[in-house]
Amino acid sequence: MRPLTGQDSERTNYVIIADCAIDWIIRPNDKQYSILSSALLKEELQVHKDMNDKKAKAIIRTVQNLSISHKRHFGGPIFNISQYLQAARGQKVSVVSVIGTNKESEDYKNALENIGVDTRCLLRREGTMPVCLYVYKDSEHQLPRVWRGNVSGEPYLPQSPFYNEFLNSHDVLVLAVANPKTAVVSIKNFVNTIAYNPGPYLKFFPFEQTRFTEIIPKTHILSANKEETEVIKINLGLKQMTELFQRYEGLEYIITTLGKDGSEIHKKDGQSYRYDPKEDNKSINQKAIVDDVGAGDAYFATALHYIMRGMNVSDIVMAATRAAQQSLLHPSAVDIRLLKEDASPFPSIIKVGNGH
């Protein structure tokens, strides 16, 4: 196992296994929000084999029929996380995922390459890009996001004898809501650091189908939100998440995001730090929030970067928190400041990159 700390402070090579997506951020007025809510409720009251697909089509149809304000953005964990890790100058970021054959798919691939991401393992399948739909009236009124997987519904694995060699040329393998079957195959022969965020699979899939118990023994950094940690504790019979340290020798960090209640990170050696927004006089005003799309990815990417620099737990939590808060202040997950060639990354990433 490659050590988590003491690596070359100037360069870490990451490979991210996750979904690509086009985010639709839909901003209805009060009446339109009510109509969209009714459209979703109608679909949920039916028995559908492909419930998400039906709900997605209902939202898109309603948006188009009523000309509801919406914008499309590059998104999904692949783009969201890549932009942060790539913004820390000197890093190498590669991705394993799948896109379609439509123009949006080509534009997505080009956008990744424009920020320096290695897309050699970005596979193509006949069809359209995955879509994630966000109905966002304001920070207090938003509907559950709806995912339409399209070409990413099945595992995406490069069929090459050199796939393992490609993965092992990287220091860190990042599983960010990755297809469980893809994740299990990819980690089998990986010898360096693994960072794992199982995400909504824990909420929407039977626990055994998430393959969590196959992935966690090789995981060094685990990240989950409050709801996901409850699923893990119930299914593994845990009273506290930190009990995982005793069960799995390689696990070094547990990251837990708590939404409006902040976040916490625990380290195997006993270090821990909890961020409470109520105790932070620099916490952002709720009225300033534009949307919360991608805030979790901002936190995960920044925390991961700090961990790989061997920073202390309190610095990791605060840097990740500031990145997530900043994400709330601009539309979509994409921060255009990070995409500019001469842009300066977030202060948290600059701090880490300079080793301060």
Side-chain angles (χ1 to χ4, degrees), residues 191-324:
V191 298
N192 297 322
T193 299
I194 294 176
Y196 176 36
N197 175 16
Y201 279 105
L202 288 172
K203 180 179 178 180
F204 298 113
F205 278 55
F207 191 71
E208 62 275 11
Q209 290 184 22
T210 68
R211 312 290 288 271
F212 183 89
T213 55
E214 298 173 64
I215 299 169
I216 191 64
K218 295 199 68 173
T219 296
H220 305 97
I221 303 163
L222 174 66
S223 178
N225 65 27
K226 185 176 181 179
E227 188 175 12
E228 292 155 7
T229 60
E230 289 304 312
V231 174
I232 294 169
K233 288 193 292 185
I234 289 170
N235 281 276
L236 296 185
L238 305 173
K239 291 183 179 179
Q240 303 292 335
M241 284 291 285
T242 50
E243 293 174 34
L244 289 173
F245 289 133
Q246 284 71 53
R247 294 197 186 186
Y248 303 105
E249 182 181 353
L251 187 62
E252 293 285 342
Y253 289 85
I254 298 174
I255 301 168
T256 306
T257 53
L258 305 167
K260 293 180 180 179
D261 294 325
S263 64
E264 59 188 23
I265 296 181
H266 299 277
K267 191 177 179 184
K268 189 171 193 147
D269 66 5
Q271 292 185 54
S272 65
Y273 188 81
R274 168 78 182 265
Y275 167 76
D276 186 343
K278 295 188 290 293
E279 300 175 359
D280 181 8
N281 58 15
K282 293 183 179 180
S283 183
I284 62 172
N285 188 320
Q286 289 292 311
K287 293 182 179 180
I289 296 175
V290 176
D291 63 51
D292 59 4
V293 180
D297 289 331
Y299 191 104
F300 182 42
T302 305
L304 176 57
H305 185 72
Y306 257 68
I307 287 170
M308 296 310 297
R309 291 296 171 272
M311 304 301 288
N312 64 56
V313 173
S314 59
D315 282 348
I316 295 168
V317 171
M318 291 312 301
T321 296
R322 296 306 181 213

Side-chain angles (χ1 to χ4, degrees), residues 24-238:
W24 281 41
I25 301 182
I26 301 158
R27 299 188 177 279
N29 57 33
D30 291 347
K31 182 178 180 180
Q32 292 168 341
Y33 183 79
S34 178
I35 293 171
L36 284 165
S37 300
S38 298
L40 275 189
L41 177 62
K42 180 180 178 182
E43 294 302 328
E44 289 179 347
L45 293 176
Q46 307 299 315
V47 179
H48 294 305
K49 179 181 178 182
D50 301 313
M51 173 62 77
N52 271 357
D53 193 55
K54 294 288 187 180
K55 290 196 292 186
K57 287 180 179 178
I59 291 177
I60 293 171
R61 184 168 57 248
T62 304
V63 166
Q64 293 174 337
N65 288 343
L66 298 180
S67 299
I68 299 174
S69 175
H70 67 282
K71 290 187 177 180
R72 303 185 191 192
H73 303 268
F74 299 133
I78 283 289
F79 201 96
N80 301 349
I81 294 173
S82 289
Q83 67 176 336
Y84 287 92
L85 297 180
Q86 193 67 40
R89 306 306 182 211
Q91 311 287 49
K92 175 186 175 185
V93 180
S94 305
V95 296
V96 177
S97 192
V98 61
I99 57 174
T101 51
N102 61 342
K103 185 179 184 301
E104 276 186 326
S105 298
E106 187 64 28
D107 291 343
Y108 191 100
K109 179 175 180 290
N110 290 339
L112 285 172
E113 291 173 351
N114 286 342
I115 61 172
V117 173
D118 182 345
T119 63
R120 283 177 292 172
C121 283
L122 190 60
L123 311 179
R124 289 184 182 275
R125 284 191 185 141
E126 188 66 34
T128 58
M129 280 285 290
V131 172
C132 198
L133 302 169
Y134 298 88
V135 178
Y136 199 99
K137 189 165 79 72
D138 55 50
S139 61
E140 299 297 327
H141 300 88
Q142 52 186 305
L143 300 180
R145 68 176 187 173
V146 176
W147 175 260
R148 191 180 183 198
N150 297 318
V151 297
S152 66
E154 298 297 326
Y156 34 87
L157 284 168
Q159 299 301 309
S160 168
F162 303 110
Y163 183 50
N164 286 331
E165 284 78 3
F166 168 77
L167 293 179
N168 279 309
S169 69
H170 298 82
D171 304 305
V172 185
L173 190 159
V174 183
L175 300 173
V177 199
N179 183 290
K181 293 180 181 178
T182 303
V184 168
V185 172
S186 299
I187 67 172
K188 185 176 180 181
N189 297 306
F190 191 74
V191 298
N192 297 322
T193 299
I194 294 176
Y196 176 36
N197 175 16
Y201 279 105
L202 288 172
K203 180 179 178 180
F204 298 113
F205 278 55
F207 191 71
E208 62 275 11
Q209 290 184 22
T210 68
R211 312 290 288 271
F212 183 89
T213 55
E214 298 173 64
I215 299 169
I216 191 64
K218 295 199 68 173
T219 296
H220 305 97
I221 303 163
L222 174 66
S223 178
N225 65 27
K226 185 176 181 179
E227 188 175 12
E228 292 155 7
T229 60
E230 289 304 312
V231 174
I232 294 169
K233 288 193 292 185
I234 289 170
N235 281 276
L236 296 185
L238 305 173

Side-chain angles (χ1 to χ4, degrees), residues 9-27:
S9 63
E10 297 303 317
R11 186 179 183 89
T12 301
N13 296 334
Y14 296 91
V15 56
I16 307 168
I17 300 179
D19 284 329
C20 303
I22 298 297
D23 291 340
W24 281 41
I25 301 182
I26 301 158
R27 299 188 177 279

